[in-house]
Structures are given as structure tokens and as C-alpha cells.
Amino acid sequence: MKFLLIFLQICILYVFSFIGNAIHNFFNLAIPGSIIALLLLFICLCLKIIPVSFIEHGAGFLLSILTLFFTPAAVGIMNYPSLLSLQGALLVLIVLLSTIITIAIAGITSTFIEKKKHSGKDEDACNSSFSHSG
């Protein structure tokens, strides 16, 4: 029964992908159909047109096998040995540096937001404690 549920939820996700690709082809947009499909799905989830429970297990299954989708790309790199030479090393270095910078900026931003939240709660607590004393 669970297999059927996951299959149907993957079909719903595929329908969104199909619609996104159809919109891309019909309007000849520069945005890929897969991105259009993700935006449509995001809008439908935000507006609660489609409840999360309609795609939750199917999306979870696809995420669990996500690494299999990258295997053909990784094997395809073997056809281009120049990517594995100096240019490849530079590419790997750039990817690592950009990842580290992204993680650092995300950490600093989340720390800033968390401190801002806590300072606002502390001020509210102080103001409420002073307002009760007469």
C-alpha cells in the first residue's frame, strides 16, 4: 500500500514537471521547465492548493535516492580528462571556497537573527516586569 502511495505522489511531482516543461516550450522562455515546475509547486504549497501530505512521502523517497541522479554526470566527467587536470583542480578549489563562504555567511546571518530575536524577547520581558510593579 505504501509503495502505491509513493508512486502516486511521484506521479503528482511528475505532472508538475510536465506542466513546467510545457510552459517552457509553449512560451519559449529562458527559464528551464524544471525551475518553472518548482515555482508552480512552491506556489501551490504556499497557497495550500496542494497539501504537503499529497507529496511528502514521494518527495522523501526521491530525496533518499538523489545521489543516483548524479552518477551519470560524475561518470560523464571521465570523458573530459582536461577537467581533471589543472582546470579541474581550480574548479574544485573554487567550489570548495564558495561553499565555505556560503556556509560562513549563512552562519553569521543566522547568529545575527537569533541574537536579534533573543534581545527583543529580553527587552519585552524587562518592560513587562517593570510595568507590573507599581
Side-chain angles (χ1 to χ4, degrees):
M1 184 66 181
K2 186 166 181 154
F3 173 76
L4 183 62
L5 177 69
I6 290 173
F7 178 76
L8 290 174
Q9 290 181 357
I10 291 174
C11 287
I12 292 171
L13 293 170
Y14 182 75
V15 166
F16 273 95
S17 177
F18 181 78
I19 292 170
N21 286 324
I23 291 171
H24 168 75
N25 292 333
F26 185 76
F27 292 110
N28 199 16
L29 299 173
I31 301 171
S34 58
I35 302 300
I36 295 170
L38 284 174
L39 290 173
L40 289 173
L41 180 62
F42 179 71
I43 290 169
C44 287
L45 288 170
C46 286
L47 297 177
K48 302 210 187 298
I49 295 171
I50 294 181
V52 175
S53 62
F54 277 21
I55 61 164
E56 187 173 22
H57 296 293
F61 173 75
L62 290 175
L63 284 173
S64 69
I65 62 168
L66 186 64
T67 54
L68 293 177
F69 297 133
F70 291 106
T71 303
V75 171
I77 289 176
M78 298 303 169
N79 291 330
Y80 302 98
S82 63
L83 288 177
L84 301 175
S85 62
L86 180 63
Q87 291 175 343
L90 289 174
L91 181 66
V92 169
L93 181 66
I94 290 169
V95 169
L96 287 175
L97 285 175
S98 65
T99 302
I100 290 169
I101 291 169
T102 302
I103 290 171
I105 290 174
I108 291 168
T109 304
S110 63
T111 303
F112 174 75
I113 291 171
E114 190 68 27
K115 284 182 181 177
K116 194 171 183 178
K117 277 184 178 180
H118 285 304
S119 67
K121 289 180 182 178
D122 292 342
E123 288 176 8
D124 290 342
C126 291
N127 290 336
S128 65
S129 65
F130 287 123
S131 64
H132 291 302
S133 61

